[in-house]
Amino acid sequence: MTARLSAWLYRHSRAGLAVLLSAPLAWLLLAYLGSLAVLFLSAFWTVNGFTGDVVRVPTLDNFITIVQSAVYRTVAVRSVGVAAAVTVVTLIFALPMAFFMAKVAAPRWRHWLVIAILTPLWASYLVKAYAWRVMLANGGLIDSILGGPGHGPGYGLPATVIVLSYLWLPYMILPIYAGLDRLPNSLLEASADLGGRGWRTFRSVVLPMLVPSIFAGSIFTFSLSLGDYITVQIVGGKTQLIGNLVYANVGAADNLPFAAALATIPAVIMVIYLYAVSRSGALEEL
Amino acid sequence: MTLSPTARWMLRLAMAVGLAVIYVPLLIVLINSFNIDRTFAWPPPGWTTQWWGRAWDSTGARQALWTSVRAGLGATAVALVLGTMVAFAVQRYSFFGRNSVSLLVVLPIALPGIITGIALDAAFRSVVEPVGIGKGLLSVVIGHATFCVVVVFNNVLARLRRLGGNLEEASADLGADTFQTFRYVTFPLLRSALFAGGLLAFALSFDEIVVTTFTAGPGVQTLPIWIFSNLFRPNQAPVINVVAAVLIVLSVVPIYLAQRISADAAGGGRV
């Protein structure tokens, strides 16, 4: 019986393909794209202010409110600013670290350095944000290093950028390390033979070839920061990002249509960003 | 590349500072779990192990841990099956829309979690709940599995690419049918990739909070949700700190396992 089925599958390879694709596609199309479609549709619905029921009549009201209100514009700009700042900060830390790992450290050390970067990825997100909450607390470690209670940054926007950068740093280091690891040493030697000093070689040879890796890392740092609303609650003080507004509208305000309309902002920004960086070949580096 | 000794030392210093920045916060959590002061005054005024005892007795933490384990195992199981199937389809066949399928698998993890979360929430509220099925643990598993598929997919795909089809053709030449080939040739070669993908999927699910917030039914509390809901209660802070310390220590386990596996895979590479 199985032999027959097997022979039939061999002759009809398309049937095999259909079987393989059926369940995963059904899942992803129904559970995921279906849900995204419902979300996108519901962004055009409204909530009856009196009864709290969802009114399923398509209108642009939610989007008009968002565009016209200064608060939402400010929060959207702030969120993009935080995501960009986190990307820059992680890049500044990741470049020298990845360069050291790939080109300076002794080969037998490389393996252990990669593990040292990987291990904290397995430690819980909340635990890491929490660790910073304790360190940034009034009179905590950071304050006492900087000269006593109140001398540190405390909770707020800078703390949010610091903690998000901390959380996503390995996601930036690893693709850059992989890119540098593939970069042949002969290119660096050729540059040196042509008179390029360390900095010149880095700027004119290494950096241009690293662009796809850097963009690949930035997809993580940018996307993960853009949707975050947990870290900002833990160390952000009263700071609000898009994620907080979406969360508040789903929970406390129970206005899912408006939350859906707000969520289209990061979604659209991310799709544009993915499209922009995909032209550099960054998606193959993920 | 010729680096001046100064440049080498600067890079070495950057690496050391970077590693210190990564590890000091985690170390502080471990130290603070023995800090006698409830608000973690620094430096610690004294030491105690009573928080570890209180955390051990915390039923909330235990129940949440158990919920997390169940959700993680469910999501991992679904992700293993679906991820492997897509990986085979994408690697072994060429068909119209193959790139779109790869993109569709990656999308749940590329878009911010809050979008996946409220999309699933919206779908549940407007499509599934009217049928009479409410949110519960199952909806959490569905949500987690959706973004866990990609890690299994990536691992299996990379392994299939490296293996090529020669061994399977040899198996077929020797008279094995499709299922025998899968059972005796393909699956054993895939095993370590499946394990690594499954491990990663479980870790992703175990740590997830955003999608969980939006898909968990009433009363369903995973460990991250439990931690988050107790984070702002000063009374619970020492217990949370101990749970955090435990999670930090446990994060070494998957790294150790992954190391064993890759050593294994390197051994299997002789085939």
Side-chain angles (χ1 to χ4, degrees):
Chain A
M1 177 61 208
T2 55
R4 261 218 198 134
L5 182 60
S6 158
W8 187 84
L9 276 176
Y10 187 78
R11 269 179 277 119
H12 302 82
S13 75
R14 290 279 131 182
L17 174 66
V19 171
L20 283 177
L21 277 179
S22 58
L25 279 192
W27 183 287
L28 286 170
L29 290 176
L30 279 179
Y32 188 65
L33 281 190
S35 300
L36 281 181
V38 171
L39 180 72
F40 186 68
L41 269 182
S42 65
F44 295 93
W45 296 340
T46 47
V47 163
N48 184 317
F50 187 62
T51 60
D53 290 335
V54 174
V55 183
R56 297 185 179 186
V57 181
T59 111
L60 283 173
D61 285 1
N62 292 330
F63 292 99
I64 292 169
T65 312
I66 291 172
V67 173
Q68 284 180 344
S69 152
V71 178
Y72 297 118
R73 276 203 305 269
T74 315
V75 173
V77 170
R78 186 188 299 144
S79 303
V80 174
V82 166
V86 168
T87 304
V88 171
V89 171
T90 50
L91 186 61
I92 290 171
F93 270 85
L95 269 177
M97 289 176 79
F99 193 83
F100 177 83
M101 288 162 68
K103 297 293 177 202
V104 181
R108 69 197 158 90
W109 274 94
R110 268 174 216 169
H111 179 68
W112 294 107
L113 287 173
V114 172
I115 292 179
I117 300 298
L118 271 174
T119 308
L121 276 181
W122 296 85
S124 164
Y125 163 100
L126 270 179
V127 167
K128 286 180 270 186
Y130 167 76
W132 279 91
R133 180 179 169 84
V134 173
M135 291 202 310
L136 287 163
N138 194 25
L141 180 75
I142 305 262
D143 270 5
S144 63
I145 288 175
L146 295 176
H151 282 75
Y155 301 144
L157 200 56
T160 309
V161 173
I162 293 172
V163 176
L164 286 173
S165 306
Y166 174 78
L167 284 168
W168 314 137
L169 179 62
Y171 290 97
M172 185 62 105
I173 295 180
L174 291 171
I176 295 182
Y177 168 76
L180 281 169
D181 200 38
R182 275 197 310 269
L183 188 80
N185 283 328
S186 53
L187 283 181
L188 306 181
E189 283 154 18
S191 166
D193 288 346
L194 293 170
R197 300 272 189 91
W199 176 243
R200 181 67 205 266
T201 304
F202 182 77
R203 217 174 32 135
S204 309
V205 179
V206 178
L207 212 50
M209 295 194 74
L210 271 187
V211 167
S213 309
I214 292 173
F215 279 151
S218 77
I219 291 175
F220 286 113
T221 57
F222 198 80
S223 163
L224 290 170
S225 309
L226 200 57
D228 185 89
Y229 70 94
I230 305 275
T231 295
V232 72
Q233 281 183 61
I234 296 176
V235 297
K238 292 194 173 69
T239 313
Q240 295 243 313
L241 299 179
I242 298 182
N244 302 94
L245 297 184
V246 174
Y247 180 72
N249 274 293
V250 176
D254 202 20
N255 190 341
L256 193 61
F258 193 70
L262 278 171
T264 53
I265 301 174
V268 168
I269 293 173
M270 231 20 244
V271 168
I272 294 172
Y273 192 77
L274 280 176
Y275 178 75
V277 300
S278 70
R279 301 175 64 125
S280 75
L283 295 186
E284 284 79 53
E285 302 285 319
L286 287 180
Chain B
M1 139 182 210
T2 43
L3 279 172
S4 64
T6 335
R8 275 176 188 275
W9 273 108
M10 295 283 275
L11 285 169
R12 202 161 286 158
L13 187 71
M15 189 76 211
V17 170
L19 283 178
V21 168
I22 290 175
Y23 279 98
V24 165
L26 302 178
L27 211 59
I28 303 274
V29 172
L30 290 178
I31 295 171
N32 267 336
S33 69
F34 299 102
N35 192 337
I36 203 162
D37 185 62
R38 262 174 194 284
T39 55
F40 310 122
W42 195 267
W47 307 98
T48 175
T49 53
Q50 61 158 319
W51 311 130
W52 284 79
R54 267 187 50 195
W56 179 255
D57 292 333
S58 161
T59 45
R62 280 193 200 187
Q63 279 169 356
L65 176 68
W66 176 230
T67 309
S68 271
V69 168
R70 282 189 300 166
L73 289 178
T76 306
V78 175
L80 277 174
V81 173
L82 298 183
T84 310
M85 287 169 88
V86 196
F88 266 94
V90 167
Q91 166 63 18
R92 293 288 158 83
Y93 298 87
S94 70
F95 53 93
F96 176 73
R98 192 165 68 163
N99 289 334
S100 314
V101 170
S102 308
L103 187 68
L104 181 62
V105 174
V106 178
L107 203 59
I109 211 150
L111 283 184
I114 194 163
I115 295 176
T116 310
I118 67 167
L120 287 167
D121 191 24
F124 255 98
R125 284 203 214 179
S126 46
V127 180
V128 185
E129 257 166 26
V131 185
I133 307 166
K135 291 195 285 188
L137 186 63
L138 188 66
S139 51
V140 175
V141 171
I142 292 175
H144 286 192
T146 304
F147 61 78
C148 284
V149 171
V150 63
V151 291
V152 176
F153 170 78
N154 278 344
N155 270 284
V156 174
L157 189 70
R159 178 61 55 87
L160 285 176
R161 276 203 185 124
R162 221 176 61 204
L163 286 178
N166 290 349
L167 289 169
E168 286 168 0
E169 279 164 21
S171 161
D173 287 346
L174 293 169
D177 67 33
T178 311
F179 302 105
Q180 284 170 325
T181 301
F182 182 79
R183 194 174 151 201
Y184 295 112
V185 179
T186 319
F187 182 72
L189 288 169
L190 280 184
R191 205 155 36 197
S192 62
L194 286 172
F195 187 83
L199 198 64
L200 209 51
F202 185 83
L204 270 184
S205 160
F206 195 76
D207 192 25
E208 220 290 328
I209 175 158
V210 177
V211 173
T212 319
T213 308
F214 292 105
T215 50
V220 176
Q221 256 194 342
T222 62
L223 197 57
I225 301 271
W226 181 82
I227 294 177
F228 191 58
S229 64
N230 283 289
L231 206 55
F232 304 105
R233 294 183 192 164
N235 201 24
Q236 282 280 41
V239 175
I240 294 290
N241 199 89
V242 171
V243 174
V246 170
L247 289 178
I248 289 172
V249 173
L250 283 183
S251 66
V252 179
V253 174
I255 288 286
Y256 172 75
L257 286 175
Q259 282 298 306
R260 288 285 303 271
I261 291 298
S262 60
D264 229 37
R270 282 190 306 252
V271 179

